[in-house]
Amino acid sequence: MIGRTTGPFRILHLEDSDLDAELIEAELERLGHPIHIVRVITRDAFAAEARPGRHDLILADYVLPAFDGISAFRIAQAQCPDIPFVFCSGTLGEDIAVEALKDGATDYVTKQRIDRLPRIVVRAMAEARTRAEKRAAEAALQALNQSLEARVAERTRELAEANAALQQQIAERERAEEALRLVQRLEAIGQLTSGVAHDFNNLLTVISGNIEFLERDVTSERSKRRLDMMRGAAARGASLTAQLLAFSRRQRLEPKPVSLNRTVASMRDLLQSCKAPSAGRCRSRRRFRPICGRPSSMPPRSNSSSSTSPSTPATRWRSGAG
């Protein structure tokens, strides 16, 4: 089996002897396969024919009148290294043949043993086919490695993208869980605040009702002013309760400007009752600027201070004044 199943077996033959060429052709016909021989003698003719894909085998004599087999082998190695090269000569010594084989020649045969030529040709073609299959396998393996590296790189990129997406989902889930825990804490605080506000409102209802009953029995102006202060404190407590309920219901609380002069003036009776008897008179010429706050958290003005203007630059307080 010479490796080609269709078409003639193409041979490039470097030979100057017609008789030897006929003997070699007769031996090659024993292969049982159609053959096509291109015979050349000169260097230029051999170099022109020694091209990749043109021939399946090169047979070369060792000694020619104007050329030699070693030079032909070097030209073949340079132009078509994949084509098997076989020396066929009657003057080729073993030392020279061994050196040629070391340099890359496929095989050699002497013209005295020309009957061995068909077997050498079959073996040379088998080795060439093996080398071609090996090169094809190496090329396929290299392509597979490159494809595998590309697939690994693509898979690595996909895994990196999936990991990044997973990390983002984990971060979003942690933020959502933190927001949920905050909402749950606010809901718990709101429920607690609502319960406290309702209980406090019940207490204020009792206090406000008793203040109304006391107003019917009190005739002293001083006592009435104190009841007014108690009623104002109860009103502030009711307002605070409303704010607690608004917080528990998550209603918006809007701050409003508060006049400190008016607030301090409304606390005159309380401050006078808290002063020591020997404190004497207390003068204040400072006017406070309005601040932003909730009016319900400030004590209301008493009835007795309604005639006092908050814009008065100086206010006099007397110790023990009724």
Side-chain angles (χ1 to χ4, degrees):
M1 189 75 183
I2 60 176
R4 290 182 60 88
T5 56
T6 60
F9 183 51
R10 301 168 300 176
I11 299 175
L12 175 61
H13 191 192
L14 178 63
E15 179 62 62
D16 62 330
S17 174
D18 296 338
L19 179 60
D20 292 343
E22 292 178 0
L23 291 175
I24 291 173
E25 184 176 356
E27 288 295 331
L28 292 174
E29 288 177 353
R30 294 170 50 197
L31 293 172
H33 193 86
I35 60 174
H36 175 70
I37 299 176
V38 176
R39 181 184 168 193
V40 294
I41 299 175
T42 63
R43 175 190 294 269
D44 295 337
F46 181 82
E49 288 292 333
R51 300 293 180 182
R54 283 193 180 185
H55 304 283
D56 300 313
L57 180 71
I58 297 176
L59 288 175
D61 194 0
Y62 182 71
V63 178
L64 291 91
F67 198 31
D68 62 89
I70 297 298
S71 299
F73 173 67
R74 291 172 180 171
I75 293 175
Q77 285 291 95
Q79 297 183 180
C80 51
D82 296 334
I83 299 178
F85 193 98
V86 177
F87 283 101
C88 183
S89 176
T91 60
L92 183 66
E94 288 189 3
D95 295 340
I96 299 175
V98 170
E99 290 297 327
L101 293 177
K102 289 182 179 178
D103 292 338
T106 305
D107 209 337
Y108 75 97
V109 61
T110 61
K111 292 180 180 180
Q112 292 79 7
R113 299 295 304 274
I114 198 65
D115 58 320
R116 298 176 58 242
L117 183 59
R119 293 193 301 271
I120 291 175
V121 170
V122 171
R123 185 171 63 250
M125 294 305 301
E127 292 177 358
R129 184 168 60 253
T130 301
R131 289 194 299 269
E133 292 175 353
K134 182 179 179 180
R135 287 193 299 270
E138 290 176 351
L141 180 60
Q142 184 177 4
L144 180 61
N145 289 336
Q146 293 177 355
S147 176
L148 181 61
E149 291 177 358
R151 290 199 297 268
V152 169
E154 179 67 19
R155 184 58 178 169
T156 302
R157 185 184 62 81
E158 293 177 356
L159 290 176
E161 292 178 354
N163 186 36
L166 180 61
Q167 294 296 332
Q168 184 178 1
Q169 292 178 1
I170 292 175
E172 292 177 356
R173 181 175 180 179
E174 290 178 352
R175 289 194 296 269
E177 290 178 351
E178 182 64 24
L180 178 60
R181 286 192 293 268
L182 179 59
V183 170
Q184 291 175 347
R185 288 196 297 268
L186 290 177
E187 184 177 0
I189 294 174
Q191 293 177 356
L192 176 62
T193 304
S194 178
V196 172
H198 282 293
D199 293 339
F200 191 56
N201 192 30
N202 293 334
L203 296 176
L204 289 176
T205 302
V206 175
I207 294 173
S208 300
N210 285 293
I211 290 174
E212 292 180 358
F213 285 122
L214 287 174
E215 284 181 342
R216 300 175 183 176
D217 299 332
V218 171
T219 57
S220 172
E221 292 295 330
R222 184 175 180 179
S223 298
K224 287 183 178 180
R225 287 196 302 270
R226 291 181 177 178
L227 288 176
D228 290 338
M229 295 176 62
M230 294 171 62
R231 185 184 299 105
R236 290 194 302 274
S239 178
L240 177 60
T241 303
Q243 293 174 9
L244 292 176
L245 290 175
F247 172 77
S248 64
R249 297 167 185 169
R250 299 182 184 179
Q251 296 178 354
R252 184 178 179 181
L253 302 178
E254 296 182 358
K256 297 180 180 180
V258 177
S259 175
L260 290 180
N261 294 321
R262 184 176 302 173
T263 301
V264 172
S266 64
M267 298 172 61
R268 185 182 62 180
D269 294 343
L270 178 61
L271 293 175
Q272 287 177 350
S273 62
C274 294
K275 288 192 304 179
S278 59
R281 294 184 178 181
C282 176
R283 291 179 176 269
S284 175
R285 297 182 178 273
R286 182 175 180 179
R287 298 183 62 186
F288 299 97
R289 296 180 179 179
I291 63 171
C292 188
R294 293 188 296 271
S296 58
S297 61
M298 301 296 179
R301 295 182 60 187
S302 63
N303 295 335
S304 61
S305 61
S306 58
S307 59
T308 304
S309 174
S311 60
T312 304
T315 302
R316 295 182 180 181
W317 292 338
R318 296 180 179 274
S319 174

